[in-house]
């Protein structure tokens, strides 16, 4: 089995009313329950946005410096994610497709490299 990250950026989500978001949450929870029933869900979390950021950290002179802000400047930030353990890319695509369909916003699929696996550009991780 291989682990995959299914994620979306908050900026990909159009504006919704509170009722629409509740409906999408109910639909997404149903898919998450399917993932649990199939034994593929490792971990999930949603509802992340700028308001949930705790701190930012950057290296300064070889040491971490933590601040409450300003946060790293970026156009996109993580909105939610699920980590699944499935046999192949097709299965990961299936679950991402289920989420994209019930939520009606894009999802992105990433395959985690296993320990000791080389990066796609050929350089080995240490």
């Amino acid at each position: 089995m291989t682990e995959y990250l299914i994620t979306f950026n908050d900026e990909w989500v159009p504006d919704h009313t509170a009722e629409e978001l509740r409906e999408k949450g109910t639909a997404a929870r149903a898919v998450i329950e399917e993932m649990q029933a199939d034994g593929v869900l490792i971990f999930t979390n949603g509802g992340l946005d700028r308001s949930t950021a705790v701190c930012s950290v950057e290296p300064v002179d070889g040491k971490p410096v933590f601040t409450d802000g300003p946060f790293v400047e970026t156009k996109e930030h993580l909105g939610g994610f699920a980590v699944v353990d499935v046999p192949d890319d097709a299965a990961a695509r299936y679950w991402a497709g289920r989420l994209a369909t019930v939520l009606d916003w894009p999802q992105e699929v990433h395959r985690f490299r296993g320990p000791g696996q080389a990066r796609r550009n050929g350089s080995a991780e240490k």
Side-chain angles (χ1 to χ4, degrees):
M1 298 287 265
T2 304
E3 294 174 354
Y4 293 82
L5 174 68
I6 301 170
T7 184
F8 68 90
N9 285 321
D10 197 47
E11 286 76 17
W12 300 346
V13 181
D15 289 333
H16 290 82
T17 65
E19 179 61 27
E20 289 171 326
L21 286 175
R22 277 191 294 279
E23 290 171 3
K24 292 196 182 287
T26 299
R29 280 190 293 281
V31 175
I32 297 302
E33 289 172 4
E34 287 181 53
M35 290 177 175
Q36 289 172 321
D38 281 0
V40 302
L41 183 67
I42 294 174
F43 181 76
T44 188
N45 197 329
L48 301 176
D49 61 25
R50 293 185 194 279
S51 71
T52 61
V54 174
C55 68
S56 62
V57 61
E58 62 181 315
V60 176
D61 297 327
K63 296 181 181 173
V65 175
F66 296 88
T67 59
D68 290 335
F71 297 107
V72 177
E73 198 61 38
T74 182
K75 287 183 172 181
E76 297 179 349
H77 59 275
L78 185 63
F81 66 90
V83 179
V84 295
D85 190 11
V86 293
D88 53 33
D89 290 2
R93 287 172 181 260
Y94 169 79
W95 290 112
R98 294 278 292 121
L99 288 170
T101 301
V102 301
L103 292 169
D104 196 28
W105 59 68
Q107 302 291 309
E108 192 169 78
V109 179
H110 296 263
R111 182 185 320 107
F112 287 105
R113 288 188 297 271
Q117 287 185 333
R119 292 178 183 246
R120 288 185 185 247
N121 67 7
S123 64
E125 287 192 31
K126 295 183 182 187

